[in-house]
């Protein structure tokens, strides 16, 4: 692990030393300790621009267990990506929903204001709608 931290800031050297680093970490390739090496590999993937396929090949070069670790790591990355995408999608949906709700409320308020005789300019000022939006709204009320 010390070698990883020694070379993490220099991707070129890290890439050159990767097989050596993984060879030294081979004791973590066992099923019981696999999570340690997976975390180690994820750290490399998240903090460097080193190609995932290159990392997989380095792991596979050490042993068949290394190849399994690469696959497990890829699955874990995929799952994390899916979860992150879902979270982002939910957040974006909430933001859009809030914006849509605020817009509908502004239109409703402007409509009520216009029906009560408030000027287009004041309705726009109070609701945050543009003057043109309120003008169009007023035209739609009359028809």
């Amino acid at each position: 692990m010390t070698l990883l931290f020694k070379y993490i800031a220099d991707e070129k050297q890290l890439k050159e030393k990767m097989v050596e680093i993984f060879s030294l970490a081979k004791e973590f390739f066992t099923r019981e300790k696999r999570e340690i090496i997976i975390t180690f590999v994820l750290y490399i993937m998240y903090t460097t621009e080193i190609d995932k396929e290159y990392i997989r090949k380095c792991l596979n070069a050490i042993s068949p267990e290394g190849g399994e670790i690469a696959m497990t790591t890829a699955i874990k990355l995929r799952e994390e990506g899916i979860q992150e995408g879902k979270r982002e999608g939910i957040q974006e949906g909430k933001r859009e929903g809030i914006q849509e709700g605020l817009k509908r409320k502004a239109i409703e308020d402007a409509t009520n204001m216009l029906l009560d005789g408030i000027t287009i300019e004041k309705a726009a000022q109070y609701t945050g709608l543009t003057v043109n939006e309120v003008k169009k709204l007023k035209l739609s009320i009359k028809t």
Side-chain angles (χ1 to χ4, degrees), residues 58-121:
C58 289
L59 283 165
N60 210 30
I62 307 301
S63 74
E65 291 85 9
E68 288 177 32
I69 289 168
M71 291 304 296
T72 303
T73 304
I75 290 167
K76 200 169 216 169
L77 281 171
R78 183 176 177 272
E79 289 171 358
E80 287 176 9
I82 289 169
Q83 292 304 315
E84 181 65 23
K86 285 180 181 178
R87 281 191 296 275
E88 288 175 8
I90 289 168
Q91 289 300 323
E92 182 63 26
K94 285 179 181 179
R95 280 191 292 276
E96 288 176 10
I98 290 168
Q99 290 303 317
E100 180 65 28
L102 291 171
K103 183 75 170 188
R104 285 183 184 179
K105 179 66 174 148
I107 291 169
E108 179 185 327
D109 290 346
T111 301
N112 290 332
M113 289 176 191
L114 292 171
L115 290 172
D116 284 346
I118 293 178
T119 66
I120 291 171
E121 291 76 17

Side-chain angles (χ1 to χ4, degrees), residues 2-31:
T2 306
L3 282 178
L4 170 65
F5 295 113
K6 180 177 180 180
Y7 296 114
I8 197 73
D10 184 345
E11 286 187 24
K12 184 180 178 202
Q13 277 192 313
L14 177 61
K15 197 171 180 179
E16 290 170 2
K17 299 281 187 180
M18 195 162 294
V19 172
E20 178 185 345
I21 292 169
F22 287 147
S23 293
L24 294 171
K26 191 175 178 178
E27 69 179 272
F28 297 109
F29 283 25
T30 63
R31 293 211 184 279

